[in-house]
Amino acid sequence: MQDALPALVLNSEALPRHAMDETPSSRPNPQGAPVSSHTGISDERLMLAFSQGSSEAFTELFSRYKQPIYGSFRRRLTEPTHAEELTQETFLALLRAATRYQPRALFRAYLYAIGFKILRAYRRKAAFRSTFFGHRNSAPDPSRQDATESALWVRRAVEKLDPVDREVLMLREFEQLSYAEIADLLQLPLNTVRSRLFRARTALRNLLEPPAESRTHGALRQITKKGENA
């Protein structure tokens, strides 16, 4: 995806400009490559710095999370361009909400919550267009673009899961969110997250493991085919 958003923020008048405690700078490392002073700063401190006017802090946050957020949308949408657009919208929403930011939770959970709201709004609009204007999603399934049959198999199996179970599984396995973060994001009790994750993993394993009868028929077909070619 294109990295245009930090430049937008650098030219934005949405935030005040004044001196920061987290003054960005670069210094050479032993190999001579520049190292940002923001490298060792937590996401939460960077967001606080950004909320006070540091566009460099935003650039660092964007660098850390642009691919994880894009990947999250990409796994849920058919079109890569739509995933890229929603990624940009997520960071723009982060910009607009910056002055109201309070570090009550991990920044990662805060950012994913913004992304989920944008995704829900996108899905509502898509459903409206499909229902009232007859628009159909004619784009090819992204799973067809996967390099291997195993990737296609896994993607189709995940799509068959209960929607909530699927979200819990993807947030845990792909986004690497904690149980508590998932519970907060999906507004579910912590024990429900655990039970749904267990159910999703079990269901996925059953979907990925072909029934014994299918394996037997497959073996018989292979034997028959070999006999015909003998």
Side-chain angles (χ1 to χ4, degrees):
M1 61 172 295
Q2 297 179 355
D3 298 352
L5 199 53
L8 180 152
V9 175
L10 288 173
N11 296 325
S12 174
E13 299 299 328
L15 297 174
R17 304 293 176 188
H18 51 264
M20 302 301 307
D21 293 333
E22 311 290 351
T23 303
S25 62
S26 296
R27 61 182 183 276
N29 64 11
Q31 287 74 33
V35 178
S36 170
S37 62
H38 283 147
T39 300
I41 298 176
S42 70
D43 297 335
E44 293 72 29
R45 290 180 66 190
L46 283 172
M47 187 59 196
L48 285 172
F50 173 52
S51 71
Q52 297 172 33
S54 173
S55 56
E56 291 85 355
F58 177 89
T59 300
E60 176 65 21
L61 287 171
F62 181 76
S63 177
R64 292 181 186 185
Y65 284 98
K66 62 183 178 182
Q67 287 302 329
I69 293 297
Y70 172 78
S72 177
F73 286 130
R74 187 68 185 90
R75 284 184 285 273
R76 292 165 173 83
L77 300 171
T78 55
E79 280 289 338
T81 53
H82 293 164
E84 184 170 336
E85 289 169 2
L86 295 194
T87 300
Q88 298 281 350
E89 286 186 30
T90 298
F91 283 98
L92 284 171
L94 181 68
L95 184 153
R96 291 191 291 268
T99 55
R100 303 189 302 274
Y101 174 74
Q102 295 293 331
R104 298 190 182 97
L106 290 177
F107 171 79
R108 179 176 63 170
Y110 177 77
L111 183 60
Y112 275 112
I114 293 175
F116 258 64
K117 289 180 181 178
I118 289 173
L119 179 62
R120 290 191 186 104
Y122 169 84
R123 285 172 169 169
R124 286 196 297 268
K125 291 177 182 177
F128 177 87
R129 288 193 296 267
S130 177
T131 301
F132 291 95
F133 298 105
H135 290 180
R136 300 295 178 185
N137 187 356
S138 59
D141 189 325
S143 60
R144 296 177 185 173
Q145 302 170 12
D146 288 338
T148 65
E149 289 187 11
S150 61
L152 172 60
W153 192 15
V154 171
R155 185 185 292 272
R156 287 178 174 172
V158 169
E159 290 173 351
K160 293 178 181 178
L161 298 176
D162 172 88
V164 177
D165 291 354
R166 182 171 62 243
E167 286 297 342
V168 170
L169 179 71
M170 293 177 73
L171 287 170
R172 180 62 179 169
E173 301 298 338
F174 292 103
E175 277 74 61
Q176 297 291 301
L177 297 188
S178 68
Y179 294 133
E181 289 170 335
I182 296 171
D184 184 60
L185 192 59
L186 299 181
Q187 298 296 296
L188 294 172
L190 191 60
N191 287 337
T192 300
V193 170
R194 291 194 176 99
S195 63
R196 282 188 172 270
L197 181 60
F198 176 80
R199 187 170 70 180
R201 285 170 171 166
T202 301
L204 185 61
R205 184 168 60 249
N206 292 336
L207 287 168
L208 292 176
E209 182 178 338
E213 183 179 355
S214 298
R215 292 198 300 269
T216 301
H217 289 169
L220 288 174
R221 284 195 297 270
Q222 290 296 325
I223 292 172
T224 303
K225 187 175 181 180
K226 288 180 180 179
E228 293 173 349
N229 295 332

